[in-house]
């Protein structure tokens, strides 16, 4: 590699200045300027020549450059049209890259991959825009695209919620949703100095290795997630109260208490101590009750 990396702080500043660009807050733009962190993220993603790497928000191409060097193919989806000519310039030497100017939440990654990279394993790698981290992750986890893994920079607090266990303060609907679809692991924490501009929150890289099939069996996934949401909607209330107050679960208070005791639990139990398997069991019982 003779050329200076895009992530080099002086080069990044130069690219932005030459194109008359400034980081747009509304798009969550915090560009990575630490080559060591970028190497670590791409290494942790496991991306190799058999893969289609999908990058959400390439920015000026700091991470894309690393991905293009390792992946068979790269698809980069960027919402900010100002960055498209920049990417054409900074990444001109790669012929395995496609840049799309679009909102990732409106992009059918599965259809694109089917048409343009058939047979390739899909790995998502990104320094995510923090303002829409959860919608992006949920769309990737719940969607039809056959994604093998997701390795992303997120707020440290969000990463901690994703890996947390029952009964801990960070445990909630996000932990359960992520753990239903994937095995999450924090790769590393990242200091604010690794970005330009520096974010006002702490960051961490997390890898979600997607399961081929969820680790628990439920008769109705929507009901499982309705139950989980209702159980955490009023954190300090009992499970019976949370479920009883939910418009998504059309059972009376007594029926709900009956289901909880039939599960073998105290009727004053709180949802925040239930494991994913226990939520699956509860879903099965409520599903049967609903007929
Ligand atoms: N990957 C670059 C890096 O690491 O330096 C930039 C990361 S920056 C945190 C987030 C990027 O996501 C920005 O380039 C931003 O414009 C882009 N972005 C924000 N919302 C998006 C969306 N809905 N769809 C696609 N890209 C988006």
């Amino acid at each position: 590699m003779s050329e200076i990396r895009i992530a080099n702080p002086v080069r990044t500043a130069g690219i932005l200045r030459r194109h008359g660009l400034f980081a747009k807050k509304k798009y969550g733009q915090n560009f990575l300027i630490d080559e060591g962190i970028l190497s670590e993220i791409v290494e942790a993603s496991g991306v190799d020549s058999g893969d289609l790497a999908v990058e959400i928000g390439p920015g000026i191409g700091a991470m894309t450059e690393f991905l293009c060097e390792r992946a068979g193919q790269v698809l980069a989806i960027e919402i900010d049209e100002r960055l498209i000519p920049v990417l054409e310039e900074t990444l001109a030497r790669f012929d395995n890259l496609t840049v799309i100017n679009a909102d990732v939440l409106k992009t059918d990654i599965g259809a694109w991959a089917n048409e343009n990279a058939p047979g390739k394993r899909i790995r998502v790698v990104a320094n995510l825009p923090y303002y829409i981290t959860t919608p992006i992750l949920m769309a990737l986890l719940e969607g039809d695209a056959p994604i093998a893994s997701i390795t992303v920079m997120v707020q440290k607090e969000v990463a901690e919620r994703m890996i947390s266990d029952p009964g801990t303060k960070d445990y909630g609907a996000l932990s359960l949703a992520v753990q239903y679809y994937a095995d999450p692991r924090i790769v590393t924490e990242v200091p604010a100095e690794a970005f330009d501009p520096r974010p006002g929150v702490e960051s961490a890289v997390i890898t979600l290795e997607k399961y081929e099939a969820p680790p628990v069996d439920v008769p109705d996934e929507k009901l499982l997630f309705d139950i989980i949401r209702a159980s955490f909607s009023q954190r300090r209330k009992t499970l019976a109260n949370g479920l009883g107050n939910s418009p998504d679960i059309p059972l009376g208070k007594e029926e709900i208490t009956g289901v909880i005791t039939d599960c073998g639990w105290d009727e004053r139990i709180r949802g925040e101590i239930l494991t994913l398997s226990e939520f699956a069991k509860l879903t099965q019982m409520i599903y049967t009750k609903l007929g």
Side-chain angles (χ1 to χ4, degrees):
M1 244 335 284
S2 54
E3 225 179 309
I4 295 169
R5 292 240 176 237
I6 298 165
N8 175 285
V10 177
R11 185 157 175 219
T12 290
I15 292 169
L16 293 172
R17 200 179 330 105
R18 195 150 27 81
H19 288 268
L21 291 172
F22 53 92
K24 268 197 182 167
K25 231 186 165 146
K26 78 161 178 172
Y27 287 145
Q29 290 176 352
N30 298 94
F31 303 115
L32 270 168
I33 50 165
D34 186 317
E35 297 172 34
I37 299 283
L38 279 163
S39 275
E40 203 174 344
I41 297 172
V42 175
E43 182 71 38
S45 75
V47 160
D48 67 27
S49 57
D51 293 338
L52 166 67
V54 176
E55 186 187 8
I56 297 159
I60 61 169
M63 183 184 283
T64 329
E65 179 177 47
F66 283 77
L67 290 172
C68 288
E69 288 168 4
R70 283 183 66 130
Q73 245 176 293
V74 178
L75 168 65
I77 306 163
E78 174 56 60
I79 198 168
D80 186 350
E81 62 185 13
R82 303 174 312 157
L83 299 174
I84 306 303
V86 182
L87 291 163
E88 277 163 10
E89 177 198 299
T90 57
L91 302 168
R93 72 178 194 279
F94 296 108
D95 58 9
N96 58 345
L97 168 68
T98 306
V99 177
I100 296 181
N101 180 204
D103 178 346
V104 67
L105 293 176
K106 296 182 184 148
T107 305
D108 187 341
I109 293 171
W112 191 93
N114 227 352
E115 206 174 309
N116 301 286
K120 290 225 162 66
R121 185 174 49 189
I122 306 175
R123 294 195 185 276
V124 173
V125 192
N127 169 18
L128 285 181
Y130 292 172
Y131 76 106
I132 43 166
T133 299
T134 305
I136 291 176
L137 287 178
M138 290 321 298
L140 295 172
L141 291 169
E142 289 172 352
D144 299 331
I147 292 167
S149 68
I150 301 169
T151 303
V152 281
M153 178 88 70
V154 295
Q155 274 185 57
K156 185 177 155 202
E157 177 230 310
V158 176
E160 280 166 354
R161 277 163 50 205
M162 288 194 259
I163 61 158
S164 64
D165 293 323
T168 61
K169 75 168 177 21
D170 294 325
Y171 189 61
L174 180 67
S175 331
L176 284 153
V178 165
Q179 292 168 26
Y180 179 76
Y181 291 107
D183 182 15
R185 178 177 61 87
I186 291 185
V187 175
T188 187
E189 294 180 13
V190 180
E193 303 82 71
F195 304 82
D196 180 16
R198 296 179 181 186
V201 292
E202 293 179 277
S203 303
V205 178
I206 189 159
T207 284
L208 312 179
E209 206 64 51
K210 262 188 97 178
Y211 296 128
E212 302 238 328
V216 295
D217 258 340
V218 285
D220 179 347
E221 277 185 3
K222 180 178 178 305
L223 182 61
L224 169 71
F225 288 113
D226 284 344
I227 290 171
I228 289 173
R229 213 170 316 108
S231 305
F232 288 96
S233 62
Q234 298 162 297
R235 251 197 123 80
R236 269 163 289 281
K237 294 245 167 87
T238 61
L239 177 64
N241 267 324
L243 297 178
N245 292 332
S246 168
D248 296 319
I249 300 155
L251 291 179
K253 278 263 161 66
E254 270 177 29
E255 286 172 300
I256 285 171
T257 308
V259 169
I260 291 172
T261 50
D262 287 351
C263 283
W265 306 327
D266 187 298
E267 61 183 63
R268 286 157 306 167
I269 196 170
R270 289 170 196 272
E272 63 213 40
I273 67 157
L274 296 183
T275 62
L276 178 60
S277 307
E278 287 167 333
F279 272 110
K281 176 175 171 183
L282 182 61
T283 303
Q284 179 64 64
M285 300 286 269
I286 291 180
Y287 183 81
T288 308
K289 195 107 193 163
L290 289 170

